Amino acid sequence: MEQGWVRSRQSGIIALYRLFDVLLIQGVLYACLAYFNVTPDKDWLIAGLLASVSFAFIAESVELYRSWRGETYVRILGTVTVAWVAVCIFLIILAYSFNAFAADFLRPAVAAWLVFTFFGLAFWRFCLRQLLFFIRVRGRNTRNAVIIGCTDSGFKLAKDLSVNPQHGIRVSGFYQVTEAEDLASRRIMDSDFNVLGSVDDAVAKGRSGELDVVFIALPMRAEDLISEILDKFSDTTATVHILPNFFVAKMLHARWHQVGGSSLLSVFDTPIQGFDGWLKRLEDLVLATAILVAISPLMLLIALAVKCSSPGPVIFKQRRYGLDGRTIYVWKFRSMTAMDDGEKVVQAKSGDQRITAVGRILRRTSLDELPQFFNVLRGTMSIVGPRPHAVAHNEEYRNLVNGYMLRHKVKPGITGLAQIKGFRGETDTLDKMSRRVEYDLEYIRRWSIILDLRIVFLTIYRGFYHKNAY
């Protein structure tokens, strides 16, 4: 389910792509050297490493590792050709820049390596593509989708998806928007698709987590109506696409997709996917490991202080919403006598009697959140991202703040853009929570590794103490 096409969560497959490309480039090189009785030495090792690294960078620049579902194999082959030819040109220029190594590049072994590597890169992608098609056609790795709007464009999309089962998108039916769609809805009911109800029925299914993908198929003149539907689906974690294309000011992350003759524009999606997702995960692992090593003595002292100062566990675990609205447990040093985790959670306030003496220091300095670096290592949180709220607070504010649930299109973080902008601690007014959500969504739209590092730097530079943290 997490590798569905529309959500484009291709992290695992793309990692295998990259690893297999490196192994193939290196493997073909040494196979050719062995066949032509050439003794491998450090120069050949350097050549293989340069080829692997340069191919990785060039392939990324031509978007070879993006999702290719819905695209033809000819386009994949063309992109592979561009990437590998660029690598070959780079290696030849580099070889002739060093005369001592240029003679080696005249050898048949090199020509065989460059040619057979190209065929290997192209052939294994063809095989993997066919394997994925085979799996999806048989009902595995599929996503449940619905179409909002009984329109000709929606009906065409449904047919395109049904005759292309290799995409793994299963349209369960249509949801009617207006009574004027009666004629179109009757035509749809006469086909293999069903009209399942109204938009509110679809939203209810989305809120309950029964929908993975939503396609909005309404005419461009219905911009106000589409905007209203988008507002409703912003209270879900379903991936939303619009058909046909038109400008939507509330896009979280725009990405075009192609299914047969239908063009789709994703609206509520995440930019942190594919290679970027792996890059952010690497950032989290490196930073969290280094930080935990550095602060381990401090954490031991804090744990001892918490244990000796008041009865109860050292670590407090509370349910929060994680990626895609799934429930996770966030760890903190216990700072209060109460450990609320039910239908109602009372936020800490100034002078709150539930806060222990040690806990007051920990909360003021944010040291109570240090165990969350273990959440980062486990993969349920990130170093940087929207701060996770208690489940009770999520259920309260999702009905009050427009787009609130879109915060969960990325992993929650220990620090975030909202925090360095001053919106941390108690959210005792609706305006404070609204501003926090605005910054959270801005972070998702603007995400980059540079932005993450900037937020980390400013978090450290400005210190962990904050007057609003009680």
Side-chain angles (χ1 to χ4, degrees):
M1 180 173 178
E2 292 185 4
Q3 294 177 340
W5 168 65
V6 179
R7 197 171 294 177
S8 300
R9 300 183 62 184
Q10 299 287 329
S11 300
I13 293 178
I14 291 175
L16 292 176
Y17 265 41
R18 293 179 177 277
L19 177 61
F20 199 89
D21 283 345
V22 171
L23 294 177
L24 188 144
I25 293 171
Q26 299 286 338
V28 173
L29 171 60
Y30 286 101
C32 290
L33 294 178
Y35 182 82
F36 289 96
N37 296 317
V38 178
T39 302
D41 56 22
K42 65 179 181 62
D43 289 334
W44 291 111
L45 176 62
I46 293 173
L49 290 176
L50 285 174
S52 299
V53 172
S54 59
F55 183 80
F57 278 100
I58 295 171
E60 184 64 33
S61 68
V62 297
E63 297 185 326
L64 179 60
Y65 294 111
R66 69 178 177 86
S67 172
W68 288 96
R69 303 192 195 192
E71 301 283 359
T72 64
Y73 179 72
V74 173
R75 294 196 62 183
I76 299 176
L77 182 61
T79 307
V80 171
T81 302
V82 170
W84 185 244
V85 168
V87 171
C88 293
I89 294 173
F90 168 74
L91 292 177
I92 292 172
I93 292 174
L94 192 64
Y96 277 90
S97 298
F98 300 92
N99 292 328
F101 192 45
D104 286 336
F105 261 74
L106 296 175
R107 296 183 178 185
V110 174
W113 172 41
L114 299 182
V115 171
F116 284 108
T117 297
F118 166 74
F119 284 112
L121 292 171
F123 181 72
W124 89 261
R125 279 175 166 77
F126 175 81
C127 293
L128 180 60
R129 180 179 172 87
Q130 297 305 311
L131 175 62
L132 292 176
F133 284 359
F134 179 86
I135 292 172
R136 292 174 190 133
V137 167
R138 281 153 182 78
R140 301 295 299 275
N141 190 27
T142 61
R143 304 294 303 283
N144 180 36
V146 298
I147 297 177
I148 305 295
C150 300
T151 61
D152 289 336
S153 59
F155 187 64
K156 181 177 181 296
L157 172 61
K159 290 193 295 183
D160 283 337
L161 289 171
S162 66
V163 299
N164 291 279
Q166 68 272 17
H167 296 318
I169 307 296
R170 299 290 183 265
V171 177
S172 58
F174 286 73
Y175 285 88
Q176 191 170 330
V177 178
T178 64
E179 294 298 325
E181 295 175 301
D182 283 344
L183 181 60
S185 65
R186 284 197 295 271
R187 182 164 62 86
I188 288 171
M189 285 188 289
D190 291 336
S191 67
D192 295 331
F193 305 100
N194 297 317
V195 177
L196 304 176
S198 66
V199 173
D200 290 336
D201 295 327
V203 172
K205 282 186 173 293
R207 286 174 60 96
S208 65
E210 297 179 44
L211 296 183
D212 299 318
V213 185
V214 175
F215 299 109
I216 300 178
L218 295 175
M220 294 180 65
R221 63 180 180 273
E223 182 174 348
D224 292 340
L225 179 58
I226 294 174
S227 180
E228 179 182 341
I229 295 173
L230 289 177
D231 285 342
K232 293 180 178 180
F233 275 103
S234 68
D235 188 33
T236 74
T237 58
T239 295
V240 179
H241 294 270
I242 292 178
L243 173 78
N245 61 314
F246 79 108
F247 179 76
V248 183
K250 297 182 180 181
M251 291 179 184
L252 185 65
H253 179 63
R255 184 183 298 272
W256 283 102
H257 300 279
Q258 192 77 22
V259 179
S262 300
S263 297
L264 306 174
L265 177 65
S266 63
V267 179
F268 297 146
D269 209 342
T270 172
I272 310 175
Q273 55 192 351
F275 176 71
D276 289 336
W278 279 90
L279 193 61
K280 184 168 176 63
R281 181 59 180 151
L282 178 62
E283 169 200 336
D284 287 337
L285 291 175
V286 171
L287 290 179
T289 301
I291 292 171
L292 282 172
V293 170
I295 67 175
S296 55
L298 175 62
M299 292 185 66
L300 288 174
L301 291 176
I302 293 175
L304 183 62
V306 171
K307 188 66 177 176
C308 295
S309 64
S310 61
V314 171
I315 299 295
F316 168 49
K317 295 188 295 184
Q318 189 177 59
R319 290 180 303 121
R320 308 284 175 98
Y321 281 171
L323 181 65
D324 291 332
R326 292 189 292 269
T327 300
I328 63 173
Y329 283 91
V330 172
W331 297 357
K332 300 177 68 174
F333 282 121
R334 182 177 57 82
S335 59
M336 306 176 72
T337 56
M339 291 178 285
D340 297 340
D341 192 24
E343 296 299 323
K344 183 175 179 59
V345 176
V346 180
Q347 284 188 311
K349 304 179 183 297
S350 178
D352 199 315
Q353 298 300 311
R354 299 172 300 165
I355 303 176
T356 65
V358 171
R360 198 169 304 280
I361 299 174
L362 297 180
R363 297 176 72 91
R364 281 287 189 184
T365 56
S366 297
L367 293 176
D368 62 321
E369 297 173 357
L370 294 183
Q372 290 170 26
F373 286 106
F374 289 108
N375 286 110
V376 174
L377 291 182
R378 295 182 64 192
T380 56
M381 289 183 64
S382 184
I383 297 288
V384 182
R387 284 292 299 156
H389 301 151
V391 170
H393 294 155
N394 281 319
E395 294 304 317
E396 174 185 357
Y397 285 110
R398 70 187 300 174
N399 297 317
L400 300 175
V401 179
N402 186 33
Y404 179 89
M405 288 300 291
L406 297 179
R407 310 171 68 248
H408 304 292
K409 298 300 289 184
V410 299
K411 290 181 183 178
I414 296 177
T415 186
L417 184 62
Q419 281 62 50
I420 66 170
K421 294 293 186 179
F423 290 92
R424 58 156 297 193
E426 183 185 10
T427 51
D428 52 345
T429 67
L430 184 61
D431 180 65
K432 287 183 179 180
M433 180 59 78
S434 297
R435 294 296 305 278
R436 178 183 288 190
V437 171
E438 286 178 13
Y439 280 116
D440 289 339
L441 299 186
E442 180 183 347
Y443 166 77
I444 297 174
R445 294 187 188 100
R446 292 174 47 200
W447 177 85
S448 68
I449 290 295
I450 299 301
L451 178 59
D452 273 2
L453 296 178
R454 177 173 173 269
I455 291 173
V456 170
F457 171 77
L458 289 177
T459 300
I460 298 173
Y461 176 76
R462 294 177 180 176
F464 295 97
Y465 177 84
H466 198 279
K467 63 181 181 179
N468 292 333
Y470 304 129

